[in-house]
Amino acid sequence: MTDSNKPPVWFWVASVAALLWNIMGVMAYLGQAYTSVEQLEQMTQAQRELFEAQPAWVTAAFAIAVFGGTLGCIALLLRKKWAKPVFFISLLGILGQFIYGLFLSNTIEVYGNQAIFMPILVIVIGVLLILLAKKGIQKGWLS
């Protein structure tokens, strides 16, 4: 490894932070996928109906988003350029999940405008991870 293709410290910091972010996403996915009866009973009627009406493809999109993002971050830390297409796949999962949540369901009606912030943040981070991988490839940090 020469100095010219050695990633800077900020690359490693960003990659580790992104990995932690995606691990939190995996935990959120697992929490949703394994929601207990007790947890369902703690929801309002509207929240429970929204949860129970969610199609399987949305759950699959959520899984693709978070597991793809996690795998992409691992690829960044391993300095592999296949991180970029994995992040693209993850972004497709993100977009599928949030298109349903924002446009095809009554999520905003149930949770209010606060339900808009997280999808926007997740989409922005997904795009930034693609750009990070692209920069890594261009600079020769990823092979």
Side-chain angles (χ1 to χ4, degrees):
M1 178 186 318
T2 65
D3 285 341
S4 64
N5 69 355
K6 182 179 178 184
V9 172
W10 67 262
F11 172 86
W12 297 112
V13 171
S15 297
V16 169
L19 178 61
L20 295 174
W21 166 261
N22 277 284
I23 289 171
M24 288 189 307
V26 168
M27 299 305 293
Y29 167 78
L30 293 173
Q32 179 180 312
Y34 294 101
T35 300
S36 68
V37 173
E38 293 81 18
Q39 291 169 311
L40 286 172
E41 290 171 348
Q42 293 176 356
M43 294 179 186
T44 67
Q45 185 64 28
Q47 290 171 338
R48 186 171 180 162
E49 288 172 3
L50 180 65
F51 179 83
E52 291 174 341
Q54 182 172 283
W57 68 265
V58 177
T59 303
F62 190 7
I64 290 166
V66 298
F67 287 104
T70 301
L71 183 60
C73 290
I74 291 168
L76 284 179
L77 292 168
L78 294 174
R79 300 184 60 213
K80 300 297 180 185
K81 63 182 172 184
W82 52 263
K84 185 178 171 187
V86 173
F87 284 138
F88 268 115
I89 293 167
S90 175
L91 183 60
L92 291 175
I94 292 168
L95 293 174
Q97 177 188 10
F98 292 131
I99 285 171
Y100 175 80
L102 295 176
F103 303 110
L104 303 176
S105 72
N106 64 338
T107 301
I108 296 172
E109 183 181 311
V110 172
Y111 289 102
N113 288 333
Q114 66 205 22
I116 298 171
F117 173 74
M118 187 56 93
I120 292 171
L121 178 63
V122 172
I123 291 167
V124 167
I125 290 172
V127 170
L128 289 174
L129 288 174
I130 291 170
L131 294 174
L132 178 60
K134 179 180 177 183
K135 183 174 187 80
I137 292 167
Q138 290 171 339
K139 294 284 189 175
W141 304 334
L142 306 179
S143 58

